[in-house]
């Protein structure tokens, strides 16, 4: 494989535009660029999650899962970078469904809303989930203005659900439980 990046500081974006993968120049606040940026931020937040103290019993499998997700997100960003291009495959969306079903089956049924928190790793999974939802909103907005394939939207929708479930899994694996929303606003919890 040849060198893909030979120069980082090109100065071509100094006027507020950037290049897409097909060579066209667009404003840096173009809906496509915003969606790409949100996906990139999500990928970075997952990179932080991988560095967290993940309970040993699930550390290896979750780090592998998160690594695969990071590669998928890079594919997603590549697809967004080139209008009318397909890079994200249906199998990648289907894999999220498999993980979601598997991990959700190990959890007790939710009877109350939960708050982001518990362990640091679980809290970071919730940060990833919220950034993922923002990426989803950006992709949906882009899709209202330009044709995009279904897979990018489906992928981030499933991924946000998976991140919610994995936050619960991380808390349980660390010996904790979900942090429940106290809808009665009773500080004593009674």
């Amino acid at each position: 494989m040849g060198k893909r990046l030979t120069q980082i500081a090109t100065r071509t974006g100094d006027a507020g535009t950037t290049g897409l993968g097909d060579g066209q120049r667009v404003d840096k606040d173009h809906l496509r660029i915003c969606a790409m940026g949100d996906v990139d931020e999500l990928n970075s937040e997952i990179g932080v999650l991988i560095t967290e103290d993940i309970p040993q019993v699930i550390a290896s499998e979750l780090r592998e899962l998160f690594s695969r997700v990071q590669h998928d997100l890079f594919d997603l960003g590549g697809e967004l970078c080139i209008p009318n291009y397909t890079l994200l495959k249906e199998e990648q969306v289907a894999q999220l469904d498999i993980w979601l079903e598997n991990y959700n089956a190990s959890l007790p049924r939710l009877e109350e809303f939960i708050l982001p928190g518990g362990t640091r790793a679980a809290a970071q999974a919730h940060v990833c989930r919220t950034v993922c939802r923002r990426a989803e909103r950006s992709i949906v907005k882009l899709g209202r203005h330009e044709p995009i394939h279904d897979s990018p939207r489906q992928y981030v929708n499933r991924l946000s659900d998976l991140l919610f479930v994995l936050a619960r899994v991380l808390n349980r694996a660390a010996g904790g439980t979900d942090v429940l929303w106290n809808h009665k606003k009773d500080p004593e919890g009674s």
Side-chain angles (χ1 to χ4, degrees):
M1 179 186 293
K3 294 181 181 175
R4 292 179 182 245
L5 297 175
T6 56
Q7 186 177 357
I8 300 301
T10 63
R11 294 174 179 75
T12 57
D14 288 353
T17 65
T18 192
L20 294 178
D22 65 357
Q24 70 176 297
R25 304 283 306 169
V26 297
D27 290 334
K28 288 191 176 189
D29 64 352
H30 186 281
L31 292 176
R32 188 170 292 278
I33 301 305
C34 292
M36 289 167 49
D38 288 341
V39 170
D40 187 34
E41 183 180 351
L42 171 58
N43 208 340
S44 297
E45 290 288 359
I46 290 175
V48 173
L49 178 54
I50 291 171
T51 69
E52 291 293 343
D53 184 22
I54 297 175
Q56 197 63 33
V57 66
I58 58 170
S60 177
E61 70 184 82
L62 285 191
R63 285 195 173 99
E64 182 180 328
L65 181 156
F66 291 136
S67 177
R68 285 184 63 187
V69 166
Q70 282 193 299
H71 283 84
D72 289 350
L73 290 172
F74 210 83
D75 288 345
L76 173 53
E79 182 166 330
L80 292 171
C81 182
I82 305 170
N84 301 313
Y85 185 69
T86 301
L87 193 56
L88 197 65
K89 307 291 185 226
E90 289 180 20
E91 297 81 34
Q92 290 163 291
V93 175
Q95 181 60 60
L96 293 177
D97 285 328
I98 293 167
W99 286 329
L100 187 56
E101 184 177 341
N102 179 47
Y103 285 107
N104 199 40
S106 70
L107 296 170
R109 182 181 168 135
L110 275 177
E111 297 188 18
E112 187 60 80
F113 290 108
I114 67 169
L115 299 175
T119 66
R120 235 183 107 83
Q124 180 61 29
H126 280 292
V127 169
C128 292
R129 174 186 56 79
T130 61
V131 173
C132 189
R133 286 291 187 203
R134 179 168 12 102
E136 181 181 18
R137 290 189 300 271
S138 293
I139 290 167
V140 167
K141 189 172 187 177
L142 172 62
R144 285 195 191 117
H145 293 87
E146 296 183 23
I148 60 171
H149 298 103
D150 291 337
S151 292
R153 187 183 59 256
Q154 293 167 346
Y155 189 89
V156 290
N157 184 52
R158 301 294 198 304
L159 180 57
S160 63
D161 291 340
L162 178 62
L163 289 164
F164 176 83
V165 166
L166 291 178
R168 297 185 69 207
V169 167
L170 285 162
N171 275 335
R172 292 202 172 281
T177 60
D178 298 318
V179 179
L180 300 179
W181 171 56
N182 182 354
H183 66 281
K184 295 177 185 174
K185 310 293 187 284
D186 179 3
E188 298 296 318
S190 56

